[in-house]
Amino acid sequence: GQQLNQSPQSMFIQEGEDVSMNCTSSSIFNTWLWYKQDPGEGPVLLIALYKAGELTSNGRLTAQFGTTRKDSFLNISASIPSDVGIYFCAGLDSNYQLIWGAGTKLIIKP
Amino acid sequence: DVKVTQSSRYLVKRTGEKVFLECVQDMDHENMFWYRQDPGLGLRLIYFSYDVKMKEKGDIPEGYSVSREKKERFSLILESASTNQTSMYLCASSVTGAGNEKLFFGSGTQLSVL
């Protein structure tokens, strides 16, 4: 099945740094979602985006729905230890099926 | 809060065994899903169901079957487990209609097939 291109695959950062990750697709989506998976748990929805150009925040997290409708971005400001985990992007296609990225693993250097 | 409960966190089975993974949700959601998660591959959809006794194949249904006899319960069955089915299995549910893109996941079952 189709998969989104999510990058980077992993990130090693210092506590306090800002983080950026993105997802791109060859297809247009009408909805983009960002999920986070804590170690040992299932993914949890962070942010949902429904309109091209939309910018939505959830605490220190900000996500954007790209204007071409083929990409989305997630930024985390001033990272803290509990931000570690795997971040997944997902797009809702025209058949109302979710298409997933492979995930970005965030690791915070001690 | 929506709760999706998977019956086992860890499971070890032998090649050729029949394996049942159980999932129950308590929020009366119509839609239920089974994914497998492998490092570097993200989440891949195995099967999903939009209603009781209804099932649809996802992207990787081979070697799996499902059962949905009650609205709250969705079971994944490995008819004859193989080592390449060693993986993390995630169950999820969602409502129908507006908001159906918002999936609620269980904590996962890490299955090892020896």
Side-chain angles (χ1 to χ4, degrees):
Chain A
Q2 183 188 355
Q3 194 172 59
L4 302 177
N5 296 313
Q6 185 171 351
S7 66
Q9 194 170 24
S10 60
M11 300 182 76
F12 292 79
I13 62 166
Q14 299 276 10
E15 185 176 347
E17 281 184 14
D18 295 343
V19 172
S20 291
M21 59 190 80
N22 69 82
C23 251
T24 60
S25 168
S26 55
S27 308
I28 288 173
F29 291 116
N30 292 320
T31 299
W32 282 93
L33 305 118
W34 286 92
Y35 285 80
K36 185 200 175 193
Q37 183 179 31
D38 287 325
E41 298 296 329
V44 173
L45 182 64
L46 295 173
I47 294 176
L49 303 156
Y50 298 102
K51 206 164 134 183
E54 182 181 350
L55 194 70
T56 297
S57 292
N58 178 1
R60 292 176 296 105
L61 276 63
T62 302
Q64 183 165 23
F65 192 142
T67 53
T68 65
R69 291 165 63 197
K70 292 183 177 181
D71 54 9
S72 182
F73 309 88
L74 177 70
N75 295 312
I76 306 172
S77 62
S79 56
I80 61 177
S82 61
D83 289 335
V84 298
I86 303 175
Y87 292 80
F88 291 101
C89 62
L92 195 66
D93 71 11
S94 54
N95 294 319
Y96 299 99
Q97 300 297 320
L98 274 178
I99 311 299
W100 294 86
T104 294
K105 189 169 187 177
L106 187 61
I107 301 158
I108 295 187
K109 294 183 252 185
Chain B
D1 278 354
V2 175
K3 193 154 183 192
V4 179
T5 303
Q6 295 185 230
S7 52
S8 306
R9 287 300 293 262
Y10 301 96
L11 215 50
V12 180
K13 296 291 180 182
R14 296 210 174 271
T15 302
E17 278 193 74
K18 190 167 186 175
V19 182
F20 293 86
L21 302 184
E22 305 288 349
C23 175
V24 177
Q25 50 94 5
D26 65 359
M27 285 302 290
D28 204 36
H29 283 175
E30 293 84 4
N31 306 327
M32 296 190 75
F33 307 83
W34 275 106
Y35 287 90
R36 67 177 278 177
Q37 179 180 11
D38 300 288
L41 297 179
L43 304 179
R44 292 183 291 167
L45 183 62
I46 305 171
Y47 267 97
F48 59 100
S49 169
Y50 290 147
D51 201 353
V52 175
K53 295 196 186 291
M54 179 267 177
K55 60 187 178 185
E56 292 283 347
K57 291 180 181 179
D59 297 320
I60 52 163
E62 297 79 17
Y64 304 94
S65 62
V66 289
S67 171
R68 191 152 181 217
E69 295 295 318
K70 293 185 179 181
K71 189 175 185 180
E72 67 271 18
R73 186 179 296 269
F74 193 33
S75 303
L76 180 69
I77 303 154
L78 286 65
E79 295 289 342
S80 176
S82 63
T83 53
N84 63 13
Q85 292 179 308
T86 291
S87 185
M88 169 68 82
Y89 290 88
L90 290 163
C91 174
S93 71
S94 72
V95 297
T96 290
N100 67 334
E101 73 282 1
K102 297 178 181 177
L103 266 54
F104 295 86
F105 285 87
S107 295
T109 296
Q110 179 64 52
L111 172 68
S112 297
V113 182
L114 306 177

